[in-house]
Amino acid sequence: MIDSGNTAWMLMSCALVLLMTPGLAIFYGGMVRAKNVLSTLLHSFFAMGLATLAWVTLGYSLAFGQGNRFIGGFEYAFLQGVGTEPGPFADDIPHIVFVAFQMMFAIITPALISGAFAERIRFRAYVVFTLVWSLLVYAPVCHWVWGPGGWLGELGALDFAGGTVVHVNSGVAALAMILVLGRRIDWQKASIRPHNLALTLLGAGLLWFGWFGFNAGSALAANGDAGWAFMVTHVAAATGAITWAGVETFHRKHTSALGVASGAVAGLVAITPACAFVGLGGALAIGAGAGILCYLGVLLKERFGYDDSLDAFGVHGLGGAWGALATGIFAVSAVGGASGLIEGNFEIVGIQVISILATAAYTFGVTYALSWALDRFMGLRVPEHHERTGLDLIEHGEAGYAIDEPVEA
C-alpha cells in the first residue's frame, strides 16, 4: 500500500535534488570569467530539460528495465507500464515517484561534467554530447549498480546514493572530455580568476542544502536510514570544508572562500556512497580524507598540464573514488548491515575497487570516443577569436551583466 508520509518525503527529496542543479549552475558560474557566466549557467540549466527528455523516453528503461547484467530493456520506454502503483523498486511509494527521484540524478550527473569544459565548448556540441552520454554512459552504469540484475549490484558493491554512478562517472568523463578538448588559450599564460565568488558560495550552500534530498532521500522512506544519512552527510561536508581550509592555510598561507566551498562539496561527494553504511567516525574520516585528497587532486592539473576548468575531475572524480573506497573501509554492520575493512571484511574493499575501476574504464573509453567523434564531425571547440570574445555573446547573443552608460546631465 502507498504510504503517504514516505511519498511526501520522496516528493520533497525530488525537489531538493532538482534544486542542486541550479545550485551547481551558480557554483560553477561564479568561478568563470564574466564573459562566460551565462554560458556556464546554461550548461547546467539546459540539462534540466534535455536530460529529462532523455530519461522519460529511454533512459529510465535502460537503467531500471529488465535487461541483462549490463543494460536494461525497453519495457519502460516512454514510461509505458509506469503508474501510481507501488513498486517494483519501493514497496510503499508510487512507481512514478521513484522514476522522478532517479530522474533528478540523471539530470545533475551530466551537468557536473560541464565544469571541465567551461569557457571553450560549442553549445550545439554540448547538447549532442549531453544527450548521447546520458543514454550510452549514465544509464548503463546506473543499471550496473542499482538496476535489476546489474553486475556490480549483484557482486555486492556498496553505493547508497551515487558515489560511482554519479561522481566517479561524471568526474572521469570530465577528464576524458578535456583531454580531447584541450586547454583554454589563456591557461597558465594569463590570469584566469573567478569573477564572482559570492555566487560560488551561494551555489555551494544550495548544493549542501539539496544534498540532504540526494543522500537521505535515497532511503526511499522517511525512516531511520534517512535520518542517519542526513546527519553523516552534514558532518562529512563540515569536515571537508574545515579540512580543506586547514590544508590550504598550511600550503598557501591563506584561507580562501573558494577553498572552503570546494572542501564542503568534496565532503558531500565522498560521503554519498557511504551515508547509510558508516558511523560518525567513518563520516569524520571520509570528510577529512576528501578535504585532503581533493585539494591535492586539484593541484594535479598544474603538474600534468590538463585544464580542468572548474575541478570536476579533482573534486568529483577523485572525491567519488575516495568515497567508494572508504565505504568499503568504514562500513559498520550496526548502521547499514554491511561490514567493512574495520570489521575484518577484506572482500568488500576488493569489490569497491572493482566498481571504481570498471566504472572509470567504461566511462573514460566511451566518453573519449564520443568526444573525439563530436570534435571530428561537428567541431567540439569554439574558434580562438570566439573564445577570446566570450561564449555569452558569441554562442548566446547575450551578456551576463548589462551596465548602462551614465546619463549626461
Side-chain angles (χ1 to χ4, degrees):
M1 295 181 62
I2 298 296
D3 185 292
S4 60
N6 289 342
T7 301
W9 165 238
M10 292 310 302
L11 290 171
M12 178 60 70
S13 295
C14 288
L16 286 169
V17 181
L18 182 63
L19 180 65
M20 292 174 66
T21 301
L24 178 71
I26 297 169
F27 179 74
Y28 279 168
M31 293 167 65
V32 298
R33 290 166 288 186
K35 63 183 180 181
N36 296 311
V37 60
L38 285 182
S39 170
T40 302
L41 290 167
L42 195 57
H43 287 157
S44 292
F45 204 86
F46 198 81
M48 294 169 68
L50 189 62
T52 293
L53 297 181
W55 187 249
V56 299
T57 53
L58 293 175
Y60 176 69
S61 193
L62 294 176
F64 288 95
Q66 292 284 349
N68 53 47
R69 300 179 67 202
F70 302 101
I71 191 71
F74 292 99
E75 67 266 34
Y76 297 133
F78 294 87
L79 300 190
Q80 60 182 339
V82 175
T84 58
E85 75 288 347
F89 304 106
D91 294 334
D92 56 6
I93 65 171
H95 190 177
I96 193 64
V97 173
F98 177 82
V99 174
F101 181 67
Q102 290 294 334
M103 178 173 65
M104 304 313 170
F105 288 65
I107 289 170
I108 197 170
T109 305
L112 291 169
I113 304 171
S114 68
F117 52 65
E119 301 196 301
R120 59 200 189 279
I121 193 172
R122 294 180 187 269
F123 186 71
R124 64 183 183 183
Y126 154 80
V127 171
V128 176
F129 172 83
T130 300
L131 181 62
V132 176
W133 190 90
S134 295
L135 297 175
L136 291 187
V137 180
Y138 179 80
V141 173
C142 182
H143 182 80
W144 293 0
V145 179
W146 294 331
W151 74 277
L152 285 178
E154 293 292 309
L155 188 64
L158 301 177
D159 188 359
F160 189 71
T164 49
V165 176
V166 175
H167 297 294
V168 173
N169 206 1
S170 61
V172 172
L175 180 62
M177 169 68 94
I178 58 182
L179 292 179
V180 175
L181 192 61
R183 299 187 289 262
R184 288 169 289 181
I185 54 178
D186 293 331
W187 191 70
Q188 292 189 330
K189 298 177 182 177
S191 176
I192 302 178
R193 294 183 296 178
H195 87 283
N196 192 336
L197 286 176
L199 283 181
T200 297
L201 284 174
L202 174 61
L206 289 173
L207 285 169
W208 195 330
F209 176 70
W211 224 290
F212 294 123
F214 199 89
N215 285 1
S218 293
L220 301 180
N223 58 18
D225 288 343
W228 190 258
F230 190 109
M231 175 56 77
V232 297
T233 294
H234 183 69
V235 168
T239 308
I242 300 305
T243 303
W244 186 301
V247 174
E248 183 181 44
T249 302
F250 176 80
H251 181 229
R252 299 191 185 276
K253 311 306 179 186
H254 64 255
T255 304
S256 69
L258 178 58
V260 174
S262 298
V265 173
L268 291 164
V269 168
I271 197 63
T272 293
C275 57
F277 301 113
V278 300
L280 177 60
L284 292 169
I286 289 171
I292 297 169
L293 293 173
C294 292
Y295 179 84
L296 297 175
V298 167
L299 299 180
L300 289 177
K301 63 183 181 182
E302 299 175 7
R303 181 174 179 83
F304 292 103
Y306 60 88
D307 184 10
D308 185 3
S309 306
L310 309 181
D311 301 318
F313 174 69
V315 172
H316 294 278
L318 297 180
W322 160 243
L325 178 62
T327 303
I329 296 172
F330 297 109
V332 288
S333 57
V335 175
S339 295
L341 182 63
I342 62 171
E343 292 186 337
N345 184 1
F346 293 87
E347 182 182 1
I348 189 61
V349 175
I351 292 172
Q352 294 300 99
V353 170
I354 290 171
S355 71
I356 295 166
L357 295 179
T359 300
Y362 176 80
T363 299
F364 186 90
V366 176
T367 305
Y368 192 94
L370 174 60
S371 301
W372 180 89
L374 289 175
D375 190 46
R376 174 70 176 80
F377 295 107
M378 67 181 301
L380 195 62
R381 183 167 178 163
V382 298
E384 180 177 332
H385 64 285
H386 289 184
E387 187 175 337
R388 293 193 183 279
T389 302
L391 303 190
D392 289 359
L393 288 175
I394 296 298
E395 292 285 306
H396 307 293
E398 299 172 299
Y401 303 98
I403 302 175
D404 294 332
E405 294 292 330
V407 178
E408 296 183 3

